[in-house]
Coordinates of all heavy atoms in Angstrom, one line a residue:
L1 N -56.0 -68.4 51.1 CA -56.4 -69.3 52.2 C -56.4 -68.5 53.6 O -57.3 -68.6 54.4 CB -55.6 -70.5 52.3 CG -55.8 -71.5 53.4 CD1 -57.3 -72.0 53.4 CD2 -54.9 -72.7 53.3
G2 N -55.3 -67.7 53.7 CA -55.2 -67.0 55.0 C -56.3 -66.0 55.2 O -56.9 -65.8 56.3
S3 N -56.8 -65.4 54.1 CA -57.9 -64.4 54.2 C -59.2 -65.2 54.5 O -60.0 -64.7 55.3 CB -58.1 -63.7 52.8 OG -57.0 -62.9 52.6
D4 N -59.4 -66.3 54.0 CA -60.6 -67.1 54.3 C -60.6 -67.5 55.8 O -61.6 -67.5 56.5 CB -60.7 -68.3 53.4 CG -61.5 -68.0 52.2 OD1 -61.9 -66.8 52.0 OD2 -61.8 -68.9 51.4
L5 N -59.4 -67.9 56.3 CA -59.3 -68.3 57.7 C -59.5 -67.1 58.6 O -60.2 -67.2 59.7 CB -57.9 -68.9 58.0 CG -57.7 -70.3 57.3 CD1 -56.3 -70.7 57.5 CD2 -58.7 -71.3 57.9
E6 N -59.1 -65.9 58.2 CA -59.4 -64.7 59.0 C -60.8 -64.4 58.9 O -61.4 -63.9 60.0 CB -58.6 -63.5 58.4 CG -57.1 -63.6 58.6 CD -56.3 -62.5 57.9 OE1 -56.9 -61.7 57.3 OE2 -55.0 -62.5 58.0
R7 N -61.5 -64.6 57.8 CA -62.9 -64.4 57.7 C -63.7 -65.3 58.7 O -64.6 -64.9 59.4 CB -63.3 -64.6 56.3 CG -64.8 -64.3 56.0 CD -65.0 -64.5 54.5 NE -66.4 -64.5 54.1 CZ -66.8 -64.7 52.8 NH1 -65.9 -65.0 51.9 NH2 -68.1 -64.8 52.5
L8 N -63.2 -66.6 58.8 CA -63.9 -67.5 59.7 C -63.6 -67.1 61.1 O -64.5 -67.2 62.0 CB -63.3 -68.9 59.5 CG -63.7 -69.6 58.2 CD1 -62.9 -70.9 58.0 CD2 -65.2 -70.0 58.2
A9 N -62.4 -66.6 61.4 CA -62.1 -66.2 62.8 C -63.0 -64.9 63.2 O -63.3 -64.8 64.4 CB -60.6 -65.8 62.9
A10 N -63.3 -64.1 62.2 CA -64.0 -62.9 62.5 C -65.5 -63.1 62.6 O -66.3 -62.2 63.1 CB -63.7 -61.8 61.5
E11 N -66.0 -64.2 62.1 CA -67.5 -64.4 62.0 C -68.0 -64.6 63.4 O -67.5 -65.4 64.2 CB -67.7 -65.6 61.1 CG -69.2 -65.9 60.8 CD -69.8 -64.9 59.9 OE1 -69.1 -64.1 59.3 OE2 -71.1 -64.9 59.8
P12 N -69.2 -64.0 63.7 CA -69.8 -64.3 65.0 C -70.1 -65.7 65.2 O -70.5 -66.5 64.2 CB -71.1 -63.5 64.9 CG -70.8 -62.4 63.9 CD -69.9 -63.0 62.9
R13 N -69.9 -66.2 66.4 CA -70.0 -67.6 66.7 C -71.3 -68.0 67.2 O -72.2 -67.1 67.5 CB -68.9 -68.0 67.7 CG -67.5 -67.8 67.1 CD -67.3 -68.4 65.8 NE -66.0 -68.1 65.2 CZ -64.9 -68.8 65.3 NH1 -64.9 -69.9 66.1 NH2 -63.8 -68.5 64.7
I14 N -71.5 -69.3 67.4 CA -72.8 -69.8 67.8 C -72.6 -70.4 69.2 O -71.7 -71.3 69.4 CB -73.3 -70.9 66.8 CG1 -73.6 -70.3 65.5 CG2 -74.6 -71.6 67.4 CD1 -73.8 -71.2 64.4
A15 N -73.5 -70.1 70.1 CA -73.4 -70.6 71.5 C -74.5 -71.7 71.6 O -75.5 -71.6 70.9 CB -73.6 -69.5 72.5
A16 N -74.3 -72.6 72.6 CA -75.2 -73.6 72.8 C -76.2 -73.2 73.9 O -75.9 -72.4 74.8 CB -74.5 -74.9 73.2
D17 N -77.4 -73.9 73.9 CA -78.3 -73.8 75.0 C -77.8 -74.9 76.0 O -77.8 -76.1 75.7 CB -79.7 -74.1 74.5 CG -80.8 -74.2 75.6 OD1 -80.4 -74.3 76.8 OD2 -82.0 -74.1 75.2
P18 N -77.4 -74.4 77.2 CA -76.9 -75.4 78.2 C -77.8 -76.6 78.5 O -77.4 -77.7 78.7 CB -76.7 -74.6 79.5 CG -76.5 -73.2 78.9 CD -77.4 -73.1 77.8
A19 N -79.1 -76.3 78.5 CA -80.1 -77.4 78.8 C -80.1 -78.4 77.7 O -80.2 -79.6 77.9 CB -81.5 -76.9 79.1
A20 N -79.9 -77.9 76.4 CA -79.9 -78.8 75.3 C -78.6 -79.6 75.3 O -78.6 -80.8 75.0 CB -80.1 -78.1 74.0
T21 N -77.5 -79.0 75.7 CA -76.2 -79.7 75.8 C -76.3 -80.8 76.8 O -75.8 -82.0 76.6 CB -75.1 -78.8 76.1 OG1 -75.0 -77.8 75.1 CG2 -73.7 -79.5 76.2
A22 N -77.0 -80.5 77.9 CA -77.1 -81.5 79.0 C -77.9 -82.7 78.5 O -77.7 -83.8 78.9 CB -77.8 -80.9 80.2
Y23 N -78.9 -82.5 77.6 CA -79.7 -83.6 77.0 C -78.8 -84.5 76.3 O -78.8 -85.7 76.4 CB -80.8 -83.0 76.1 CG -81.3 -84.0 75.2 CD1 -82.4 -84.8 75.5 CD2 -80.8 -84.1 73.9 CE1 -82.9 -85.8 74.7 CE2 -81.3 -85.1 73.0 CZ -82.4 -85.9 73.4 OH -82.9 -86.8 72.5
L24 N -77.9 -83.9 75.4 CA -76.9 -84.8 74.7 C -75.9 -85.5 75.6 O -75.5 -86.6 75.3 CB -76.2 -84.0 73.6 CG -77.0 -83.6 72.4 CD1 -76.0 -83.1 71.3 CD2 -77.7 -84.8 71.8
E25 N -75.6 -84.8 76.7 CA -74.7 -85.5 77.7 C -75.3 -86.7 78.2 O -74.6 -87.7 78.5 CB -74.3 -84.5 78.8 CG -73.4 -83.4 78.3 CD -73.2 -82.3 79.4 OE1 -74.0 -82.3 80.4 OE2 -72.4 -81.4 79.2
R26 N -76.6 -86.7 78.5 CA -77.3 -87.8 79.0 C -77.5 -88.9 77.9 O -77.5 -90.1 78.2 CB -78.7 -87.5 79.5 CG -78.6 -86.5 80.7 CD -80.0 -86.4 81.4 NE -81.0 -85.9 80.5 CZ -81.3 -84.6 80.3 NH1 -80.5 -83.7 80.9 NH2 -82.2 -84.2 79.5
H27 N -77.6 -88.5 76.6 CA -78.0 -89.4 75.6 C -77.1 -89.2 74.3 O -77.6 -89.0 73.2 CB -79.4 -89.2 75.2 CG -80.4 -89.1 76.3 ND1 -80.7 -90.1 77.1 CD2 -81.2 -88.0 76.7 CE1 -81.6 -89.7 78.0 NE2 -81.9 -88.5 77.7
I28 N -75.8 -89.4 74.3 CA -75.0 -89.9 75.4 C -73.6 -89.5 75.1 O -73.2 -89.4 73.9 CB -75.1 -91.5 75.5 CG1 -74.5 -91.9 76.8 CG2 -74.6 -92.2 74.3 CD1 -74.8 -93.4 77.2
V29 N -72.8 -89.2 76.1 CA -71.3 -89.0 76.0 C -70.7 -90.2 76.6 O -71.3 -90.9 77.4 CB -70.8 -87.7 76.6 CG1 -71.5 -86.5 75.9 CG2 -71.0 -87.7 78.1
M30 N -69.4 -90.5 76.2 CA -68.7 -91.7 76.6 C -68.0 -91.4 77.9 O -67.4 -90.4 78.1 CB -67.8 -92.1 75.6 CG -68.4 -92.5 74.2 SD -69.6 -93.9 74.4 CE -71.1 -93.2 73.7
S31 N -68.1 -92.4 78.8 CA -67.4 -92.3 80.1 C -66.1 -93.1 80.1 O -65.2 -92.9 81.0 CB -68.3 -92.9 81.2 OG -68.5 -94.3 81.1
G32 N -66.0 -94.0 79.2 CA -64.8 -94.9 79.2 C -65.0 -96.1 80.2 O -64.1 -97.0 80.2
D33 N -66.0 -96.2 80.9 CA -66.3 -97.2 81.9 C -67.0 -98.4 81.2 O -68.2 -98.2 80.8 CB -67.1 -96.7 83.1 CG -67.3 -97.8 84.1 OD1 -66.8 -98.9 84.0 OD2 -68.0 -97.5 85.1
L34 N -66.3 -99.5 81.0 CA -66.9 -100.6 80.3 C -67.4 -101.7 81.2 O -67.8 -102.8 80.8 CB -65.9 -101.2 79.3 CG -65.2 -100.2 78.3 CD1 -64.3 -101.0 77.3 CD2 -66.3 -99.5 77.5
G35 N -67.3 -101.5 82.5 CA -67.7 -102.5 83.5 C -66.8 -103.7 83.3 O -65.5 -103.5 83.3
D36 N -67.3 -104.8 83.1 CA -66.5 -106.0 82.7 C -66.8 -106.5 81.3 O -66.6 -107.7 81.0 CB -66.8 -107.1 83.7 CG -66.3 -106.8 85.1 OD1 -65.2 -106.2 85.3 OD2 -67.0 -107.1 86.1
V37 N -67.3 -105.6 80.5 CA -67.8 -106.0 79.2 C -66.7 -105.8 78.1 O -66.3 -104.7 77.9 CB -69.1 -105.2 78.8 CG1 -69.6 -105.6 77.4 CG2 -70.2 -105.3 79.8
P38 N -66.3 -106.9 77.5 CA -65.3 -106.7 76.3 C -66.0 -106.0 75.1 O -67.1 -106.4 74.8 CB -64.8 -108.1 76.0 CG -65.9 -109.0 76.6 CD -66.5 -108.3 77.7
V39 N -65.4 -105.1 74.6 CA -65.9 -104.3 73.4 C -65.0 -104.4 72.2 O -63.8 -104.1 72.4 CB -66.2 -102.9 73.8 CG1 -66.7 -102.1 72.6 CG2 -67.1 -102.8 75.0
L40 N -65.5 -104.8 71.1 CA -64.8 -104.7 69.8 C -65.4 -103.7 68.9 O -66.7 -103.7 68.8 CB -64.8 -106.1 69.2 CG -64.1 -106.3 67.8 CD1 -62.6 -106.0 68.0 CD2 -64.4 -107.7 67.2
T41 N -64.6 -102.8 68.3 CA -65.2 -101.9 67.4 C -64.6 -102.2 66.0 O -63.4 -102.7 65.9 CB -64.8 -100.4 67.8 OG1 -63.4 -100.2 67.6 CG2 -65.2 -100.1 69.2
V42 N -65.3 -101.9 65.0 CA -64.9 -102.1 63.6 C -65.2 -100.8 62.8 O -66.4 -100.3 62.9 CB -65.6 -103.3 62.9 CG1 -64.9 -103.6 61.6 CG2 -65.5 -104.5 63.8
H43 N -64.3 -100.3 62.0 CA -64.6 -99.1 61.2 C -63.8 -99.2 59.9 O -62.8 -99.8 59.8 CB -64.0 -97.9 62.0 CG -64.9 -96.7 61.8 ND1 -65.7 -96.2 62.8 CD2 -65.0 -95.8 60.8 CE1 -66.3 -95.1 62.4 NE2 -65.9 -94.9 61.2
T44 N -64.4 -98.7 58.8 CA -63.7 -98.5 57.6 C -62.9 -97.2 57.6 O -63.3 -96.2 58.2 CB -64.6 -98.4 56.3 OG1 -65.6 -97.4 56.5 CG2 -65.4 -99.7 56.2
D45 N -61.7 -97.2 56.9 CA -60.9 -96.0 56.9 C -61.4 -95.0 56.0 O -61.1 -93.8 56.1 CB -59.5 -96.3 56.6 CG -59.3 -96.9 55.2 OD1 -60.2 -97.7 54.8 OD2 -58.3 -96.6 54.5
G46 N -62.3 -95.3 55.1 CA -62.9 -94.4 54.1 C -64.3 -94.0 54.4 O -65.1 -93.8 53.5
D47 N -64.6 -93.8 55.7 CA -66.0 -93.4 56.1 C -66.0 -91.9 56.3 O -65.4 -91.3 57.1 CB -66.3 -94.1 57.5 CG -67.8 -94.0 57.8 OD1 -68.4 -93.0 57.3 OD2 -68.2 -94.8 58.7
G48 N -66.8 -91.3 55.4 CA -66.9 -89.8 55.4 C -68.1 -89.3 56.1 O -68.4 -88.1 56.2

């Protein structure tokens, strides 16, 4: 396992296109601002 983790660490990485990241930031990242809107979330614990 240690050798595989070292292999992952040595592998060249992938950089993002900043303009493309900005697109996902707009559509959408979370701000935490809910206004005055109550929000309920539901999730299964076995969701893969």
Side-chain angles (χ1 to χ4, degrees):
L1 178 56
S3 295
D4 271 3
L5 292 174
E6 290 175 2
R7 185 173 167 188
L8 289 168
E11 185 72 10
R13 300 307 174 91
I14 297 169
D17 178 340
T21 302
Y23 163 85
L24 283 191
E25 290 170 349
R26 295 190 301 273
H27 314 296
I28 191 169
V29 300
M30 299 298 125
S31 69
D33 185 1
L34 307 184
D36 293 320
V37 181
V39 177
L40 179 64
T41 70
V42 190
H43 216 104
T44 57
D45 62 322
D47 191 338

